[in-house]
Amino acid sequence: MRLARFAVFAVLALSARPLMAAGEVTDFTLDNGMQVVVIEDHRAPVVVHMVWYRTGAADEPPGKSGIAHFLEHLMFKGTDERAAGELSKVVEANGGSDNAFTSYDYTAYFQRVAADRLALMMEMEADRMRDLALAPDDVATERSVILEERATRTDSEPGALFREELDAALYRNHPYGVPVIGWKGEMEGLTRDDALAFYRQFYAPNNAILIVAGDVLPDEVRALAEAQYGRLVPSEGIGPRARPQEPPSRAARRIVLEDARVAQPSLMRSYLAPAREPGDQGTAAALAYLARLLGGDAATSVLGRALQFDSQLAVHTSAGYSATSLDDTTFSVVVVPAEGVSLAEAEAALDAQLATFLKTGPDPVAFERLRMQIRAAEIYALDDVGEIADRYGRALTTGLSIGDVQAWPEALQAVTIDDVLTAARAVLDKRASVTGWLLPEGGEGVL
């Protein structure tokens, strides 16, 4: 499950012509509204089968935080046709692997198997799309599992608690401020009826995207999909995903989290930022560059060179941008000060570097070097059919189209220094930000 909201990534075309995925991409829609995407890659007799639902933690009803992730766990229990845990056992017995993950905007289930096992995967996935059977004991067991997951991954990690508080402060009205895993008090109250209500509302063929990538042909996938998924009845009432949006931001916000378990103080600042827009991905592409220019490689990035090497005020710097998101996303910067350097000194140095960058823009040499590095990285990205399928799934469940996915490398290739500077000046506005300090309990010597 992906719990972090920010990650740095960017890709560019390898040449002047658009890059295709591992092979041809074909899409069609079944009569019941289920979208199907086929990505051909005939290098090995393997297939990745993914079902993406256009629902995630940001679609949960108030007071039921964590229900999307809870249901993800429960989907591995039984159906009317199969016993609890049987699906995963069948996948393993056929030499494959399976898993699932929940984010704010989507929930996805996938298997990687030999290509000749695709029909079996579709049969099982279609079964649990409509016929989930939840025994009360299974629900109680999985509720304990997700509470333990929160305890080990969030409550026992000061950094995770810090990021959770930062998101909650940044998003005052939008559900992105509620953690994907949920607030503990609400998780404890999740019931079987809550899970089934969420399941019946959102788990339907007309709210799902099937992505099949690997050694397959479109006509074969169409025949299998029509036989397995095409028989499922669509749900009524599935419409546009309307969520509460953020009001205008007029004042910078700050949080301070003290925790006795913190060994190394740090500061993070998160800004609200636009995500990739259908048909117009230029700003997002520029922000992807900005994240790498400011906080990519420590030896060459703006913050790394200035704070880690030149002044030696920090032992770590980074920047991140989550480009693929249904609603406004985040752009973040992180500084971990060196020993003896206070958080106030580190923040002042960060602000000075950002102010200089906003005046002068990127260094042309660094900009072109980054362009070449990203071109090289794209070669490796195209080598992983699972990564390509994942790329399409995340985009399509957040309002983008297949055309947008295929145009993304072109959009990145078209970015100029002026584009980066324009995007930076629009986003790096403290009035739309939260600055957080994470420090040991008492904070002696680090303020």
Side-chain angles (χ1 to χ4, degrees):
M1 181 189 66
R2 192 189 72 175
L3 296 180
R5 275 203 49 78
F6 47 87
V8 184
F9 70 91
V11 292
L12 267 180
L14 299 174
S15 65
R17 43 184 275 192
L19 275 172
M20 297 299 291
E24 293 296 322
V25 178
T26 305
D27 74 293
F28 52 89
T29 302
L30 302 182
D31 290 342
N32 59 13
M34 187 175 191
Q35 184 179 4
V36 182
V37 179
V38 182
I39 305 167
E40 294 181 62
D41 184 342
H42 302 290
R43 293 174 295 177
V46 176
V47 67
V48 174
H49 171 265
M50 308 187 80
V51 172
W52 296 72
Y53 292 96
R54 295 183 181 91
T55 188
D59 302 300
E60 296 168 339
K64 302 295 181 181
S65 64
I67 191 64
H69 173 241
F70 186 31
L71 178 58
E72 176 213 309
H73 278 243
L74 294 173
M75 287 287 285
F76 288 87
K77 299 304 179 181
T79 70
D80 292 340
E81 302 295 329
R82 296 183 183 277
E86 183 178 345
L87 186 149
S88 293
K89 291 177 181 177
V90 171
V91 172
E92 183 179 4
N94 282 271
S97 61
D98 73 321
N99 212 326
F101 50 90
T102 304
S103 185
Y104 284 98
D105 297 318
Y106 47 76
T107 309
Y109 302 83
F110 66 92
Q111 302 87 31
R112 184 187 291 264
V113 293
D116 62 1
R117 299 296 188 269
L118 178 59
L120 177 60
M121 299 303 106
M122 286 195 186
E123 176 189 344
M124 294 193 297
E125 200 66 77
D127 181 34
R128 68 173 169 178
M129 182 181 288
R130 280 310 204 189
D131 292 326
L132 185 64
L134 297 180
D137 289 346
D138 288 338
V139 173
T141 298
E142 286 307 312
R143 186 170 52 242
S144 297
V145 169
I146 62 169
L147 285 167
E148 178 63 21
E149 187 174 331
R150 178 176 172 96
T152 56
R153 294 186 179 183
T154 303
D155 295 333
S156 64
E157 295 288 339
L161 289 171
F162 178 56
R163 290 189 294 272
E164 188 174 83
E165 294 294 334
L166 202 73
D167 281 347
L170 183 65
Y171 289 102
R172 297 167 291 167
N173 194 49
H174 193 284
Y176 286 165
V178 178
V180 170
I181 198 165
W183 300 117
K184 181 180 178 181
E186 294 182 352
M187 294 168 65
E188 291 172 335
L190 295 177
T191 68
R192 178 178 181 272
D193 287 344
D194 294 331
L196 288 174
F198 196 81
Y199 173 73
R200 290 165 182 155
Q201 181 177 0
F202 294 111
Y203 279 53
N206 51 324
N207 199 40
I209 302 167
L210 169 64
I211 299 180
V212 179
D215 190 20
V216 292
L217 296 173
D219 288 345
E220 296 172 349
V221 174
R222 182 190 292 270
L224 292 173
E226 288 176 344
Q228 298 299 334
Y229 294 106
R231 58 186 172 80
L232 303 180
V233 178
S235 291
E236 297 180 358
I238 293 177
R241 300 163 76 181
R243 297 159 169 177
Q245 298 297 302
E246 285 299 298
S249 296
R250 299 185 177 92
R253 278 151 279 155
R254 304 184 67 85
I255 67 166
V256 176
L257 177 62
E258 298 184 14
D259 192 305
R261 298 167 295 181
V262 173
Q264 177 65 60
S266 62
L267 76 90
M268 175 183 289
R269 181 178 297 153
S270 286
Y271 302 84
L272 287 175
R276 292 166 63 184
E277 292 287 343
D280 183 10
Q281 303 179 92
T283 297
L287 289 172
Y289 269 82
L290 178 64
R292 294 285 295 272
L293 287 165
L294 287 179
D297 183 83
T300 58
S301 65
V302 170
L303 298 178
R305 289 199 320 268
L307 303 186
Q308 293 180 242
F309 289 92
D310 294 346
S311 65
Q312 298 185 2
L313 292 173
V315 295
H316 171 79
T317 59
S318 62
Y321 170 59
S322 299
T324 307
S325 177
L326 186 61
D327 297 312
D328 279 352
T329 182
T330 59
F331 187 100
S332 301
V333 290
V334 176
V335 178
V336 179
E339 186 175 357
V341 177
S342 70
L343 286 171
E345 291 172 319
E347 185 174 343
L350 168 65
D351 286 336
Q353 290 303 315
L354 293 179
T356 299
F357 184 90
L358 292 175
K359 289 180 181 178
T360 63
D363 173 67
V365 175
F367 184 84
E368 291 304 319
R369 180 173 59 241
L370 176 59
R371 187 191 300 276
M372 294 301 297
Q373 289 172 348
I374 298 174
R375 286 175 179 167
E378 179 67 359
I379 296 174
Y380 298 103
L382 292 173
D383 196 46
D384 186 344
V385 69
E387 164 63 24
I388 296 166
D390 187 79
R391 188 181 301 181
Y392 276 89
R394 293 176 192 273
L396 295 175
T397 50
T398 53
L400 299 171
S401 68
I402 288 176
D404 291 321
V405 177
Q406 294 175 339
W408 180 234
E410 293 182 64
L412 286 158
Q413 188 175 27
V415 171
T416 67
I417 286 178
D418 286 343
D419 293 334
V420 173
L421 190 53
T422 298
R425 289 169 175 166
V427 169
L428 300 181
D429 181 347
K430 277 192 176 181
R431 293 172 296 181
S433 75
V434 176
T435 301
W437 287 7
L438 176 64
L439 60 155
E441 198 168 36
E444 293 87 351
V446 298
L447 295 174

